[in-house]
Amino acid sequence: MMLKLLPVVLVIGLSIHGLIHLMGFVAYWPLKDVPELAYKTAFLGGRLEFGANGTRLFSLLWLLAAIGFIVAGIALVSEWSWGVPVLVLVTLLSLVITALDWEPAFRGTLINGVILAVLLLAPHFARLLPQTN
């Protein structure tokens, strides 16, 4: 029973992480004020200035990450072969953009680290599970 619930939890978790990324898109486009992510054009603790156009591009990376996490979750539960590579790529993208915006987004950086650790360790745990034919 628990193993059957795991894919559902996985999709829900990845989808929530993806939806949270929409906040970055909305805040940095800017479409609306997001109190958790105040609009700014300087990142990495103010050391990296993107300007208004660069910040819009940055917001598109947040949107890409949002879509990527949702698509990766669906691909994983559908057992499509490209699900894991997409999840790795989108998690690395998310890791970069949340690290650039560390102060308000450090939790996302930590979550990305957990996702990468699970992906790295999953093959080792899979060997411990009973094999089905």
Side-chain angles (χ1 to χ4, degrees), residues 16-45:
I16 290 170
H17 190 56
L19 291 172
I20 291 170
H21 273 280
L22 288 178
M23 290 172 45
F25 170 67
V26 169
Y28 298 134
W29 185 259
L31 297 173
K32 186 177 188 319
D33 287 336
V34 178
E36 296 83 4
L37 292 171
Y39 178 80
K40 60 185 165 279
T41 60
F43 298 89
L44 206 56

Side-chain angles (χ1 to χ4, degrees), residues 6 14-15 37 39 47 52 63 66 75 78 82 89 95 98-99 104 112 118 121 123 131:
L6 193 58
L14 291 175
S15 295
L37 292 171
Y39 178 80
R47 293 185 292 274
L63 179 61
S78 300
W82 50 268
L89 289 174
L95 186 64
T98 56
N112 291 321
V118 167
L121 296 174
Q131 300 298 314

Side-chain angles (χ1 to χ4, degrees), residues 43-66:
F43 298 89
L44 206 56
R47 293 185 292 274
L48 186 60
E49 176 63 46
F50 286 172
N53 289 334
T55 300
R56 279 207 167 175
L57 178 62
F58 186 61
S59 77
L60 291 175
L61 295 176
W62 283 83
L63 179 61
L64 181 62

Side-chain angles (χ1 to χ4, degrees), residues 10 76 83-85 87-89 91-92 111-128:
L10 177 72
L76 289 172
V84 171
L87 182 57
V88 169
L89 289 174
T91 304
L92 291 173
I111 290 168
N112 291 321
V114 169
I115 292 169
L116 290 172
V118 167
L119 288 169
L120 183 66
L121 296 174
H124 301 291
F125 289 119
R127 285 183 276 192
L128 299 175

Side-chain angles (χ1 to χ4, degrees), residues 69-83:
F69 277 115
I70 294 167
V71 168
I74 292 167
L76 289 172
V77 296
S78 300
E79 297 182 9
W80 295 333
S81 61
W82 50 268

